[in-house]
């Protein structure tokens, strides 16, 4: 982690869950971390919690479904911090919205956040990395096991489709970086069930989320940053095509 000390990371969806755990880890290791979400109060609290850490938290209010909010955030990052070195595309959500009976607005919100917001952030982050000459820059995508397997539960089918899109985007971004002869890395992380606010938001019920999280021994948000068991790692030279 030493080479990242003092460098700039953006973590989307930083207010709670996996995003907040990533912010803690990066700031403790000395990075300047721009944490964004709609609820800025929770990121302000994270900033206070981490005041004595090596790095710092810079809270930004940003609705990632709104392109202007994203562009304003990247303008601020460039002006005040000189551009990003690491972009963690973590924000994401699911609605219970089956394919044959779900609400169109729920499908659209998942597309806007899980696919479009993530892709705009990646485009702008790579642009800033190239402008500042951060050839060792790194893009992370918080994907999911649902980005590799379609479960039988109808409630998760559309969410799964957005995460399959994230799998395709990760591979597409890798190809475009390679074509530019860039050394910027792209990593897709696909956790199984993690106990966060995710299921509370998806099921719109604390009780139902509790029941889901009690059904198996879940991962905790810290497991993603600390001691998770990683099953498959694909390691390629940045120049490799297939
Ligand atoms: N939990 C799991 O079981 C699990 C498993 C596999 C993959 N994942 C993926 O991991 C990522 C993080 O999930 P999590 O479990 O940490 O979820 P979470 O606890 O529900 O947190 C989601 C984060 O995204 C932010 N967010 C939601 N809508 C936003 C918007 N429009 N603009 C900006 N920020 C927004 C939320 O903040 P605000 O509401 O304040 O905006 C929050 O900080 C997601 O991409 C999810 O798909 C989760």
């Amino acid at each position: 982690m030493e080479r990242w000390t003092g460098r700039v990371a953006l973590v989307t969806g930083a207010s709670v869950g996996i995003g907040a755990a990533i912010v803690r880890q990066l700031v403790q290791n000395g990075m300047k971390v721009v944490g964004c979400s709609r609820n800025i109060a929770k990121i302000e609290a994270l900033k206070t919690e981490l005041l004595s850490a090596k790095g710092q938290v810079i809270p930004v209010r940003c609705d990632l479904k709104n392109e202007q909010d994203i562009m304003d955030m990247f303008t601020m990052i460039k002006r005040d911090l000189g551009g990003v070195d690491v972009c963690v595309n973590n924000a994401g959500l699911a609605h219970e919205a089956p394919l044959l009976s779900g609400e169109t607005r729920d499908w659209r919100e998942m597309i806007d956040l899980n696919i479009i917001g993530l892709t705009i952030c990646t485009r702008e982050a790579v642009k800033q990395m190239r402008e500042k000459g951060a050839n060792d820059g790194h893009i992370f995508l918080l994907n999911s096991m649902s980005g590799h397997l379609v479960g039988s539960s109808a409630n998760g089918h559309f969410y799964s489709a957005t995460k399959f899109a994230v799998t395709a985007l990760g591979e597409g971004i890798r190809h475009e970086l390679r074509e530019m002869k860039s050394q910027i890395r792209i990593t897709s992380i696909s956790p199984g069930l993690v106990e966060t606010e995710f299921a509370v938001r998806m099921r719109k019920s604390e009780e139902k989320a509790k029941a889901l999280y009690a059904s198996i021994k879940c991962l905790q948000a810290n497991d993603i940053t600390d001691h998770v068991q990683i099953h498959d790692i694909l390691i390629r030279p940045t120049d490799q095509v297939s």
Side-chain angles (χ1 to χ4, degrees):
M1 275 301 291
E2 261 160 43
R3 78 183 153 109
W4 297 109
T5 303
R7 295 180 68 184
V8 180
L10 167 65
V11 178
T12 68
S15 56
V16 294
I18 297 169
I22 293 171
V23 170
R24 281 193 186 89
Q25 187 68 249
L26 296 181
V27 170
Q28 276 153 4
N29 281 282
M31 292 196 84
K32 293 177 196 162
V33 180
V34 176
C36 80
S37 67
R38 295 163 304 175
N39 180 349
I40 201 164
K42 291 198 175 161
I43 310 179
E44 295 283 4
L46 207 51
K47 177 179 175 172
T48 307
E49 175 195 321
L50 292 165
L51 276 181
S52 60
K54 253 175 38 181
Q56 67 178 112
V57 183
I58 300 111
V60 175
R61 187 193 314 280
C62 176
D63 183 343
L64 294 155
K65 291 175 294 179
N66 179 334
E67 181 161 20
Q68 194 56 52
D69 272 17
I70 301 177
M71 298 311 281
D72 291 347
M73 174 172 69
F74 274 95
T75 301
M76 179 285 290
I77 296 174
K78 174 108 197 238
R79 185 190 61 227
D80 296 353
L81 301 163
V84 282
D85 299 286
V86 172
C87 175
V88 184
N89 287 294
N90 165 74
L93 94 167
H95 287 296
E96 294 188 320
L99 303 179
L100 304 183
S101 59
E103 299 285 345
T104 309
R105 67 164 182 275
D106 288 344
W107 298 337
R108 277 197 214 289
E109 190 181 8
M110 287 187 264
I111 288 179
D112 285 345
L113 181 61
N114 300 0
I115 302 177
I116 306 287
L118 171 146
T119 310
I120 297 172
C121 286
T122 301
R123 181 188 69 204
E124 297 306 312
V126 168
K127 188 167 163 228
Q128 290 195 350
M129 288 170 192
R130 284 164 61 80
E131 280 167 2
K132 74 187 282 191
N135 209 27
D136 60 348
H138 209 133
I139 304 287
F140 291 91
L141 309 180
L142 250 297
N143 196 340
S144 169
M145 288 306 297
S146 303
H148 305 277
L149 304 162
V150 181
S152 58
S153 164
N155 285 332
H157 286 160
F158 199 90
Y159 171 71
S160 188
T162 67
K163 291 299 188 180
F164 266 71
V166 172
T167 301
L169 291 170
E171 190 59 0
I173 293 161
R174 182 179 77 78
H175 280 298
E176 292 189 28
L177 287 169
R178 181 187 49 75
E179 278 158 16
M180 301 176 160
K181 306 231 173 299
S182 173
Q183 296 295 305
I184 295 168
R185 274 36 166 200
I186 167 94
T187 300
S188 175
I189 300 172
S190 297
L193 192 60
V194 189
E195 189 171 354
T196 63
E197 288 192 13
F198 185 82
V200 182
R201 293 169 184 229
M202 179 180 184
R203 300 196 150 187
K204 297 176 182 60
S205 152
E206 293 267 357
E207 254 174 43
K208 284 185 188 170
K210 243 187 191 165
L212 173 69
Y213 290 141
S215 66
I216 58 168
K217 190 171 186 311
C218 300
L219 294 171
Q220 300 299 311
N222 285 347
D223 291 322
I224 306 302
T225 55
D226 292 351
H227 46 78
V228 70
Q229 181 192 344
I230 296 170
H231 291 283
D232 287 327
I233 308 183
L234 307 178
I235 301 176
R236 295 184 179 93
T238 47
D239 284 340
Q240 184 172 324
V241 178
S242 58

